[in-house]
Amino acid sequence: MKVSNVERVGNYVILIIFSLIVLAPIFTILTAAFAPANATAAREGSFHPENFFTAWQEGRFGQYMATSVLVAIIVVTLTVVLSTLAGYAFGTMKFRGQSVLFYLFLMGIMIPAEAIIVPLFFDLRSVGLTDTVWAVALPQVAQSVAFGTYWMRTYFRGVNPSMIEAARMDGATPRRILWSILVPMGRPALTTMMVLVFMWTWNEFLIPLVMSPTGEFRTAPLGLALFQGQYTQGTALLAAGAVLVALPVVVLYFILQRHFIRGMLEGAVKE
């Protein structure tokens, strides 16, 4: 399709406008993070990278990020394994009650955490799991598996059936077809799911807040909220803390961006 010069210029203008809208808050928070934290620092200059070290120490972000990393590893690992197995069953097999079970999985996407968080807290407290890493991680695993099953089912249903049939005729078992053929082929879909689940887990605020009432397992967003309470006037340190909390998600995206974009463009469908 031939695109005229007017359309090309219009496309660039729209893309530049939306890019500026997206990048402006990022530029603002980075500028504030390097700004002087107080009047004494302002007399020494306008560029203060030491704000990150001060925010890291005073905000105890090392402890909060260690908890966030531990929770993210548990959630992403369990989600990838369980979603791959469930998606493989729903996408390639026929069994009784398949549609009913799949719609039950979809309820995990449709029901918000706010609707179940209070009874879930009392359930976990009755079995002694509150104030543990499992109380913070397992509800997020349940939420992520609902999306992951839907995502991986879409991928498995998009695989050419003749490829699976050829593998069966060669004597491959369902387990070998999954782990030796379909999973390597679905690397973009798996990578996209891993990045999305990691991002949602890292940014989750409500579940860690409720499931750890003593604050023993505070995650990075909770630590940032507490830091905000201490430095409502110190925007430089608060901005530095916000950059520190957001940095792992940005770094992971840049490392896996090629597979992530490919998975999003393919819609988890691989022919």
Side-chain angles (χ1 to χ4, degrees), residues 238-268:
L238 183 59
V243 172
L244 290 173
V245 172
L247 197 58
V249 176
V250 177
V251 171
L252 181 68
Y253 172 76
F254 276 108
I255 293 174
L256 300 176
Q257 62 172 323
R258 185 167 60 89
H259 295 294
F260 178 80
I261 294 173
R262 186 179 168 193
M264 292 296 287
L265 292 177
E266 292 179 353

Side-chain angles (χ1 to χ4, degrees), residues 165-220:
E165 191 60 32
R168 286 174 180 160
M169 292 179 66
D170 288 340
T173 62
R175 181 184 302 176
R176 184 170 178 80
I177 292 173
L178 172 63
W179 297 112
S180 300
I181 299 175
L182 299 182
V183 167
M185 284 173 48
R187 194 179 303 132
L190 285 167
T191 304
T192 303
M193 182 178 67
M194 288 171 58
V195 173
L196 290 174
V197 171
F198 177 84
M199 182 178 64
W200 293 335
T201 304
W202 190 269
N203 293 329
E204 178 62 39
F205 186 87
L206 180 62
I207 291 176
L209 176 67
V210 175
M211 295 303 171
S212 182
T214 65
E216 187 176 352
F217 287 94
R218 285 197 181 111
T219 54

Side-chain angles (χ1 to χ4, degrees), residues 151-172:
W151 183 262
M152 294 309 297
R153 173 183 177 268
T154 305
Y155 159 68
F156 286 122
R157 288 174 70 94
V159 175
N160 193 337
S162 60
M163 186 179 300
I164 299 176
E165 191 60 32
R168 286 174 180 160
M169 292 179 66
D170 288 340

